Amino acid sequence: MIKLENVSKIYKGDVVALRNVTCEIQKGEFVFLVGPSGSGKSTFMRLLNKEETPDSGVIYVAGKDIGRLSGWRVPFLRRNIGCIFQDFKLLDNRTVAQNVAFALEVIGRPRHVISNQVPAILELVGLSPKAHNYPEELSGGEQQRVSIARAFVNRPLILLADEPTGNLDPATSVGIMKLLDRINKTGTTVVMATHDRGIVDTMRKRVIELDQGNLARDQARGVYE
Amino acid sequence: MNFRLGNIFREVSYSLRRNPTLFLGTLVVIAISLLILGSGLVVRSAVENATARWKDGVEFIVFMNPDSSQVEIDAIKAKLDSNPEIIAADTRFVDKQDAFIEFQSLFQESDQIRESVTVEDMPPSYRVVPRNAESSVVEALADGFRDEPGVFQVVAAIDTIRAIENVGDNLNRQFLILGAFLLLAAMLLVYNTIRTTIFSRRREVEVMRLVGASNWYIRVPFMVEGVLQGLIAGLLTLPMYRVVNNFLSSLGDEESLNLLDGLRAPSGDVVTIWIAMVLLGAFIGAAASAVALSRYLDV
Ligand SMILES: Nc1ncnc2c1ncn2[C@@H]1O[C@H](COP(=O)(O)OP(=O)(O)O)[C@@H](O)[C@H]1O
Ligand SMILES: [Mg+2]
């Protein structure tokens, strides 16, 4: 599903974010990406949906070399990759339901599809009662559920989660992890960057560790350290 | 690709509500620059209309009385032909019928004047081309015809008509230069409104990119905003061209065969100029927003 071959990314000012990283992630896997701040986790993810391009190396997503993808095809790549973040990135002037619907509207899904999908996905993330609330009326955990609903409503093949529990307390984080696990069980490949030792150690999934841009460890059913 | 018109207008009205002063200020500057450019063209068209009789070296016109006899008309022709100072081959006789057609086009804007005359009322005339166009020579030549039998009036182009042409040319050039500068200012303003809109909507744009909205889907609402500003500004200028035109024709005296007669752009020209300005406005808006998009919206 995802394959990196000798991928390096150097930002301007000679900041090496990734150095010669090679790894492969199978369809349906759940992978933790760990490492200290600045070790290249976010860069790893941004390379996968072509928000950044590598300086060298080849990246395959769903069997395609995304380096050869022309500009107008990139949106189609992104429709197959859901993204969630530490800061949720919700639109304040839209309700929960509208935030989720937005993701379908802007890729041209017909109205009847939207009116079916949105309630179903809100049901899945447990937010049906709050469908008509605005983000500011929700707790952090609920806001992250909205962002998960938005990322997953188009049923992407891959879900990228960049420190999704970074702003949440441990109890709320457990709920989010259960949700991500359920999404993974539907066959969606999940890649999650995190600092959270507790989460990594209890889930016992594959762990890829980055250290100053180098792939330091790749361990099945691993722990944080 | 799927654009919902409603969505696009929602975005535009959203930006109008967010920053009405910038939006309206931009609109006014585009309108003024288009107006100045357009007015230059209106003046040119009016001058062309007014001086149509004075083309091809014609320096004075001998108008015959509408009821002058054929003998009198022929006598004038003989006198013109025998004068070595006059190029007989280029000198043209305009009969009642042609004069009527010319009159109709000269005063095509005022039905009242046009309907008040018939072919029979029109004075036939000679359009005289002298060898030497110097005003003193032309004046002396023209004077020689004033007292001939059957002659109603002799009008010399002398300096007046050339002065109108010069003023027209200068005005036109100055309007074009001023208009071009203002248009540049207008483009900078459109560029800024679009940049502001992009900035105020960066979160939406970020999300749209993340979920895979196509580049054009993201771009079009911003483009529409710029184009719409130019279009609206262009549309607003129409009544102003009418005002300019009325002012020009008020300089002439419609009661007599004055030199300034018909100093007025034909309404067909005004509409053409207006449409050109609307299109120019839209183009300006599109170009400025395209530049803003390419700089601030990396999709
Ligand atoms: N857009 C950027 N421009 C320049 N340097 C960057 C950029 N993004 C990240 N970096 C640098 O690249 C390195 C890796 O960053 P990042 O991938 O964000 O790591 P992590 O997510 O593990 O904290 C850091 O040194 C960071 O400062
Ligand atoms: Mg990061």
Side-chain angles (χ1 to χ4, degrees):
Chain A
M1 178 61 45
I2 299 170
K3 194 159 112 190
L4 284 75
E5 286 175 356
N6 304 313
V7 171
S8 295
K9 174 71 190 176
I10 300 155
Y11 290 108
K12 46 186 175 299
D14 284 341
V15 182
V16 180
L18 287 180
R19 183 179 288 132
N20 227 7
V21 171
T22 299
C23 70
E24 188 167 357
I25 296 169
Q26 304 298 334
K27 181 172 183 347
E29 270 196 274
F30 193 120
V31 178
F32 283 119
L33 211 52
V34 303
S37 184
S39 57
K41 305 184 293 296
S42 298
T43 301
F44 186 105
M45 301 215 170
R46 284 204 298 271
L47 287 170
L48 296 182
N49 67 358
K50 238 191 158 191
E51 275 197 80
E52 301 281 0
T53 46
D55 292 284
S56 63
V58 188
I59 300 172
Y60 297 92
V61 172
K64 288 206 187 72
D65 174 359
I66 63 170
R68 291 162 171 269
L69 222 52
S70 53
W72 68 272
R73 284 214 172 104
V74 172
F76 296 95
L77 167 71
R78 294 186 181 152
R79 289 176 196 187
N80 285 318
I81 304 178
C83 291
I84 63 175
F85 303 89
Q86 186 169 358
D87 63 354
F88 320 134
K89 298 192 196 297
L90 299 178
L91 305 176
D92 301 332
N93 55 346
R94 292 172 205 258
T95 64
V96 166
Q98 285 167 347
N99 262 284
V100 177
F102 185 75
L104 295 173
E105 276 166 21
V106 301
I107 59 171
R109 290 283 180 273
R111 225 176 277 271
H112 66 96
V113 171
I114 297 175
S115 56
N116 279 335
Q117 301 271 49
V118 173
I121 200 85
L122 288 179
E123 182 73 41
L124 178 81
V125 302
L127 273 182
S128 299
K130 306 250 167 154
H132 302 296
N133 287 76
Y134 285 87
E136 62 181 14
E137 299 164 343
L138 306 180
S139 70
E142 288 168 333
Q143 290 188 42
Q144 192 58 290
R145 285 169 188 273
V146 180
S147 106
I148 292 171
R150 181 178 66 191
F152 193 58
V153 69
N154 194 34
R155 308 289 157 163
L157 301 171
I158 299 167
L159 187 71
L160 302 178
D162 194 346
E163 305 195 25
T165 59
N167 274 341
L168 305 176
D169 59 66
T172 312
S173 300
V174 170
I176 296 296
M177 292 316 299
K178 282 193 175 142
L179 185 52
L180 291 181
D181 199 32
R182 271 177 68 192
I183 285 174
N184 176 236
K185 296 240 155 63
T186 66
T188 304
T189 308
V190 178
V191 180
M192 171 168 160
T194 185
H195 280 312
D196 195 321
R197 174 184 301 268
I199 288 174
V200 178
D201 289 350
T202 43
M203 300 268 297
R204 301 304 300 259
K205 302 285 189 185
R206 177 174 170 192
V207 174
I208 295 176
E209 184 181 337
L210 292 173
D211 182 24
Q212 291 177 36
N214 297 300
L215 198 154
R217 175 168 59 116
D218 187 346
Q219 183 180 22
R221 296 184 55 74
V223 291
Y224 190 81
E225 188 57 276
Chain B
M1 231 178 333
N2 167 321
F3 297 123
R4 298 203 178 93
L5 220 57
N7 279 1
I8 290 173
F9 283 103
R10 198 176 60 208
E11 310 298 0
V12 172
S13 73
Y14 171 75
S15 112
L16 178 58
R17 268 179 288 126
R18 264 193 68 83
N19 203 338
T21 42
L22 184 55
F23 191 94
L24 292 177
T26 304
L27 204 76
V28 169
V29 174
I30 309 175
I32 291 176
S33 54
L34 293 177
L35 181 63
I36 288 177
L37 274 179
S39 298
L41 298 175
V42 169
V43 168
R44 192 171 76 175
S45 157
V47 167
E48 250 163 38
N49 192 47
T51 57
R53 287 174 298 179
W54 304 95
K55 286 274 140 37
D56 305 325
V58 172
E59 293 295 336
F60 69 93
I61 303 177
V62 180
F63 287 103
M64 306 301 292
N65 279 319
D67 54 1
S68 54
S69 68
Q70 193 58 44
V71 176
E72 288 167 336
I73 292 173
D74 291 345
I76 297 296
K77 172 149 178 63
K79 183 169 174 177
L80 285 167
D81 286 350
S82 67
N83 192 328
E85 293 290 311
I86 290 166
I87 307 174
D90 291 346
T91 297
R92 210 159 47 87
F93 179 66
V94 174
D95 66 15
K96 285 184 180 228
Q97 184 58 44
D98 289 344
F100 183 74
I101 293 168
E102 188 184 83
F103 185 88
Q104 298 290 312
S105 103
L106 211 51
F107 292 108
Q108 57 183 275
E109 302 313 315
S110 49
D111 296 339
Q112 216 183 346
I113 296 178
R114 272 191 294 121
E115 283 159 12
S116 67
V117 298
T118 65
V119 174
E120 278 315 303
D121 297 330
M122 298 308 302
S125 62
Y126 287 99
R127 306 291 160 89
V128 187
V129 181
R131 274 185 210 290
N132 187 335
E134 229 168 90
S135 55
S136 57
V137 178
V138 172
E139 197 78 64
L141 270 177
D143 281 346
F145 291 88
R146 284 194 209 284
D147 299 325
E148 293 295 316
V151 170
F152 162 58
Q153 204 179 28
V154 180
V155 181
I158 39 170
D159 302 327
T160 320
I161 206 76
R162 300 301 165 218
I164 295 177
E165 285 180 343
N166 277 338
V167 170
D169 276 358
N170 283 336
L171 213 58
N172 191 37
R173 196 170 312 120
Q174 282 158 7
F175 276 19
L176 284 182
I177 292 171
L178 187 62
F181 269 114
L182 275 171
L183 219 52
L184 207 67
M187 285 184 78
L188 289 175
L189 278 170
V190 174
Y191 173 83
N192 259 302
T193 27
I194 301 305
R195 196 182 61 167
T196 307
T197 313
I198 292 172
F199 190 70
S200 69
R201 299 194 49 225
R202 61 195 180 286
R203 186 34 82 78
E204 265 114 324
V205 170
E206 188 187 7
V207 173
M208 285 195 266
R209 292 178 49 205
L210 275 175
V211 302
S214 71
N215 297 351
W216 283 108
Y217 186 94
I218 298 174
R219 290 202 141 112
V220 161
F222 295 108
M223 295 287 283
V224 168
E225 186 182 340
V227 171
L228 216 61
Q229 278 183 322
L231 269 182
I232 296 172
L235 292 173
L236 288 178
T237 57
L238 179 61
M240 298 310 293
Y241 296 135
R242 295 252 149 89
V243 171
V244 170
N245 217 4
N246 285 337
F247 169 74
L248 288 175
S249 60
S250 76
L251 297 174
D253 172 5
E254 295 181 337
E255 295 306 308
S256 71
L257 291 162
N258 189 289
L259 285 175
L260 286 172
D261 281 350
L263 185 58
R264 180 179 184 94
S267 60
D269 280 11
V270 173
V271 170
T272 309
I273 290 168
W274 177 56
I275 291 172
M277 290 302 121
V278 171
L279 293 179
L280 183 61
F283 174 76
I284 292 299
S289 36
V291 176
L293 286 174
S294 72
R295 294 200 50 184
Y296 296 101
L297 194 77
D298 45 13
V299 286

